[in-house]
Amino acid sequence: PAGERQVEIRAADDSEATVFEGPVTVEADADYTVAAVGEVGDAADQPFEPLVLEDDNTDPGGDTARLRVVHASPDAGPVDVTVNAGPVLFDGVAFDGSGYTEGEANDYTVQVRPDTDGNDGEVAADFDVSLNGGTVYTAFAAGYLTPDDEPVDESFDLIVAQDAA
């Protein structure tokens, strides 16, 4: 139901440690994704927060897929997301930024690059992604580009979740 909900998020490795406690508001007749992003602690590059995203789960059409990318990598600056030998999917996405794009259902190699004016920065990571027609996805760019220099050894990854079919 619509309204304000009290949310408590605890650390995965310490069920007694509350890292967020507060309200999250949801509207009627809407779908949401709530992602836990950022870092816990005083030396955080990006402070921890729940990121509340309103979903677009309308049918994209039989041969079309809808993809949202969420930037959740604390040590990566703004990024461009491109397709290998193909179009720019997202330009200059900042931490905790997101957005949707639609494209033909297919298998793709998705590249994450530092943001540049020409969207042609050196590829930091690439991932094979399969998108089915009539389906909505959210891809979370998470972990660290340089995990050895960070509070946890969590390598950069693209985690793709199917939202609706």
Side-chain angles (χ1 to χ4, degrees):
E4 188 175 274
R5 302 286 172 247
Q6 288 298 313
V7 174
E8 182 177 8
I9 301 173
R10 296 176 184 235
D13 60 351
D14 181 0
S15 64
E16 299 299 314
T18 299
V19 295
F20 175 82
E21 187 170 6
V24 171
T25 302
V26 295
E27 302 295 327
D29 302 318
D31 297 327
Y32 294 92
T33 296
V34 179
V37 300
E39 300 166 299
V40 176
D42 295 333
D45 292 325
Q46 297 290 342
F48 180 84
E49 65 179 340
L51 179 61
V52 180
L53 304 167
E54 187 169 350
D55 300 338
D56 179 359
N57 289 327
T58 58
D59 185 355
D63 293 333
T64 301
R66 182 176 301 119
L67 175 66
R68 170 173 55 191
V69 168
V70 178
H71 183 336
S73 176
D75 73 333
V79 297
D80 297 329
V81 181
T82 62
V83 172
N84 184 28
V88 174
L89 299 176
F90 301 96
D91 181 20
V93 181
F95 178 80
D96 86 4
S98 69
Y100 281 104
T101 190
E102 292 186 2
E104 180 182 332
N106 209 336
D107 296 332
Y108 296 97
T109 298
V110 175
Q111 300 171 322
V112 180
R113 311 164 178 266
D115 180 35
T116 62
D117 288 339
N119 307 108
D120 57 358
E122 185 176 329
V123 175
D126 61 358
F127 305 93
D128 292 329
V129 176
S130 295
L131 303 177
N132 296 321
T135 307
V136 180
Y137 300 90
T138 298
F140 297 92
Y144 293 98
L145 290 174
T146 56
D148 294 343
D149 298 335
E150 300 301 338
V152 294
D153 187 19
E154 189 70 38
S155 295
F156 187 79
D157 199 3
L158 189 69
I159 304 154
V160 181
Q162 182 177 324
D163 294 348

